[in-house]
Short mmCIF file of all heavy atoms in Angstrom, two decimals:
data_model
loop_
_atom_site.label_atom_id
_atom_site.label_comp_id
_atom_site.label_asym_id
_atom_site.label_seq_id
_atom_site.Cartn_x
_atom_site.Cartn_y
_atom_site.Cartn_z
N SER A 227 12.52 4.66 243.68
CA SER A 227 12.97 4.72 242.29
C SER A 227 14.34 5.37 242.21
O SER A 227 14.59 6.39 242.83
CB SER A 227 11.97 5.52 241.45
OG SER A 227 12.39 5.58 240.11
N SER A 228 15.22 4.75 241.47
CA SER A 228 16.51 5.33 241.14
C SER A 228 16.60 5.43 239.63
O SER A 228 15.65 5.13 238.91
CB SER A 228 17.65 4.47 241.69
OG SER A 228 17.67 3.22 241.03
N LYS A 229 17.75 5.82 239.11
CA LYS A 229 17.89 5.95 237.67
C LYS A 229 17.79 4.60 236.97
O LYS A 229 17.41 4.53 235.80
CB LYS A 229 19.22 6.61 237.33
CG LYS A 229 19.29 8.08 237.72
CD LYS A 229 20.59 8.70 237.24
CE LYS A 229 20.64 10.19 237.56
NZ LYS A 229 21.90 10.81 237.10
N SER A 230 18.12 3.52 237.68
CA SER A 230 18.21 2.22 237.02
C SER A 230 17.01 1.32 237.27
O SER A 230 16.76 0.40 236.49
CB SER A 230 19.48 1.49 237.47
OG SER A 230 19.45 1.29 238.89
N LYS A 231 16.26 1.54 238.36
CA LYS A 231 15.18 0.61 238.65
C LYS A 231 14.16 1.24 239.58
O LYS A 231 14.38 2.30 240.16
CB LYS A 231 15.72 -0.67 239.27
CG LYS A 231 16.37 -0.48 240.63
CD LYS A 231 16.85 -1.80 241.20
CE LYS A 231 17.49 -1.61 242.57
NZ LYS A 231 17.95 -2.89 243.14
N SER A 232 13.04 0.56 239.73
CA SER A 232 12.00 0.97 240.66
C SER A 232 11.50 -0.28 241.36
O SER A 232 11.27 -1.31 240.72
CB SER A 232 10.85 1.65 239.91
OG SER A 232 9.86 2.07 240.81
N GLU A 233 11.34 -0.21 242.68
CA GLU A 233 10.89 -1.37 243.43
C GLU A 233 10.18 -0.92 244.70
O GLU A 233 10.36 0.20 245.17
CB GLU A 233 12.06 -2.28 243.78
CG GLU A 233 13.12 -1.61 244.65
CD GLU A 233 14.33 -2.49 244.88
OE1 GLU A 233 14.34 -3.63 244.38
OE2 GLU A 233 15.26 -2.03 245.56
N ILE A 234 9.37 -1.82 245.25
CA ILE A 234 8.67 -1.54 246.49
C ILE A 234 9.65 -1.62 247.64
O ILE A 234 10.38 -2.61 247.79
CB ILE A 234 7.51 -2.53 246.69
CG1 ILE A 234 6.48 -2.35 245.57
CG2 ILE A 234 6.85 -2.32 248.05
CD1 ILE A 234 5.41 -3.43 245.57
N GLY A 235 9.69 -0.58 248.48
CA GLY A 235 10.61 -0.56 249.60
C GLY A 235 10.14 -1.45 250.74
O GLY A 235 8.99 -1.87 250.81
N LYS A 236 11.05 -1.74 251.66
CA LYS A 236 10.72 -2.52 252.84
C LYS A 236 9.77 -1.72 253.71
O LYS A 236 9.98 -0.53 253.95
CB LYS A 236 11.99 -2.87 253.62
CG LYS A 236 11.73 -3.70 254.88
CD LYS A 236 13.02 -4.04 255.57
CE LYS A 236 12.77 -4.81 256.87
NZ LYS A 236 12.09 -6.09 256.63
N LEU A 237 8.73 -2.37 254.21
CA LEU A 237 7.75 -1.70 255.06
C LEU A 237 8.34 -1.48 256.45
O LEU A 237 8.84 -2.40 257.09
CB LEU A 237 6.48 -2.53 255.17
CG LEU A 237 5.35 -1.95 256.03
CD1 LEU A 237 4.83 -0.65 255.44
CD2 LEU A 237 4.22 -2.96 256.19
N ALA A 238 8.27 -0.24 256.93
CA ALA A 238 8.73 0.08 258.28
C ALA A 238 7.77 -0.50 259.31
O ALA A 238 6.57 -0.58 259.09
CB ALA A 238 8.83 1.59 258.46
N ASP A 239 8.32 -0.91 260.46
CA ASP A 239 7.50 -1.39 261.57
C ASP A 239 6.84 -0.18 262.23
O ASP A 239 7.44 0.50 263.06
CB ASP A 239 8.37 -2.15 262.58
CG ASP A 239 7.58 -2.70 263.75
OD1 ASP A 239 6.37 -2.39 263.87
OD2 ASP A 239 8.18 -3.42 264.57
N PHE A 240 5.59 0.08 261.82
CA PHE A 240 4.86 1.24 262.35
C PHE A 240 3.95 0.88 263.51
O PHE A 240 3.24 1.74 264.04
CB PHE A 240 4.06 1.91 261.23
CG PHE A 240 3.02 1.02 260.60
CD1 PHE A 240 1.74 0.94 261.10
CD2 PHE A 240 3.34 0.25 259.49
CE1 PHE A 240 0.78 0.12 260.53
CE2 PHE A 240 2.39 -0.59 258.90
CZ PHE A 240 1.11 -0.65 259.42
N GLY A 241 3.97 -0.40 263.93
CA GLY A 241 3.12 -0.83 265.04
C GLY A 241 1.67 -0.91 264.60
O GLY A 241 1.22 -1.92 264.09
N SER A 242 0.96 0.17 264.77
CA SER A 242 -0.42 0.26 264.29
C SER A 242 -0.74 1.71 263.97
O SER A 242 -0.11 2.63 264.51
CB SER A 242 -1.41 -0.30 265.31
OG SER A 242 -1.41 0.47 266.48
N LEU A 243 -1.70 1.90 263.11
CA LEU A 243 -2.15 3.24 262.74
C LEU A 243 -3.65 3.20 262.53
O LEU A 243 -4.15 2.33 261.80
CB LEU A 243 -1.43 3.73 261.48
CG LEU A 243 -1.72 5.17 261.04
CD1 LEU A 243 -0.47 5.81 260.43
CD2 LEU A 243 -2.88 5.23 260.04
N THR A 244 -4.37 4.11 263.17
CA THR A 244 -5.83 4.14 263.09
C THR A 244 -6.30 5.33 262.29
O THR A 244 -5.94 6.48 262.59
CB THR A 244 -6.45 4.20 264.50
OG1 THR A 244 -6.10 3.01 265.22
CG2 THR A 244 -7.97 4.28 264.41
N PHE A 245 -7.08 5.06 261.25
CA PHE A 245 -7.78 6.11 260.52
C PHE A 245 -9.12 6.35 261.23
O PHE A 245 -9.95 5.44 261.31
CB PHE A 245 -8.05 5.70 259.08
CG PHE A 245 -6.84 5.72 258.19
CD1 PHE A 245 -6.11 4.56 257.95
CD2 PHE A 245 -6.42 6.90 257.58
CE1 PHE A 245 -5.00 4.57 257.12
CE2 PHE A 245 -5.32 6.92 256.76
CZ PHE A 245 -4.60 5.75 256.52
N SER A 246 -9.35 7.55 261.70
CA SER A 246 -10.62 7.92 262.32
C SER A 246 -11.25 9.06 261.52
O SER A 246 -10.61 9.64 260.63
CB SER A 246 -10.42 8.33 263.77
OG SER A 246 -9.53 9.43 263.87
N ASP A 247 -12.51 9.36 261.82
CA ASP A 247 -13.22 10.44 261.11
C ASP A 247 -13.12 10.26 259.61
O ASP A 247 -12.89 11.23 258.86
CB ASP A 247 -12.67 11.81 261.52
CG ASP A 247 -12.83 12.06 263.01
OD1 ASP A 247 -13.87 11.69 263.56
OD2 ASP A 247 -11.89 12.62 263.62
N MET A 248 -13.29 9.03 259.15
CA MET A 248 -13.20 8.75 257.71
C MET A 248 -14.45 9.25 257.01
O MET A 248 -15.56 8.86 257.34
CB MET A 248 -13.02 7.24 257.50
CG MET A 248 -11.73 6.69 258.08
SD MET A 248 -11.70 4.88 258.17
CE MET A 248 -11.83 4.44 256.43
N ASN A 249 -14.25 10.13 256.04
CA ASN A 249 -15.38 10.72 255.32
C ASN A 249 -15.09 10.81 253.84
O ASN A 249 -13.93 10.79 253.41
CB ASN A 249 -15.70 12.13 255.85
CG ASN A 249 -16.40 12.09 257.19
OD1 ASN A 249 -17.42 11.43 257.34
ND2 ASN A 249 -15.84 12.79 258.16
N MET A 250 -16.15 10.92 253.06
CA MET A 250 -16.05 11.14 251.63
C MET A 250 -17.26 11.94 251.18
O MET A 250 -18.25 12.06 251.91
CB MET A 250 -15.99 9.81 250.86
CG MET A 250 -17.23 8.95 251.06
SD MET A 250 -17.35 7.59 249.89
CE MET A 250 -17.77 8.48 248.39
N SER A 251 -17.18 12.50 250.00
CA SER A 251 -18.30 13.25 249.42
C SER A 251 -18.29 13.02 247.91
O SER A 251 -17.22 12.87 247.31
CB SER A 251 -18.13 14.75 249.72
OG SER A 251 -19.19 15.50 249.21
#
Side-chain angles (χ1 to χ4, degrees):
S227 180
S228 66
K229 290 185 177 180
S230 60
K231 65 179 181 179
S232 181
E233 61 185 359
I234 297 171
K236 181 178 177 61
L237 180 64
D239 181 353
F240 60 89
S242 65
L243 184 145
T244 298
F245 286 96
S246 58
D247 300 320
M248 297 167 62
N249 286 305
M250 61 167 287
S251 182

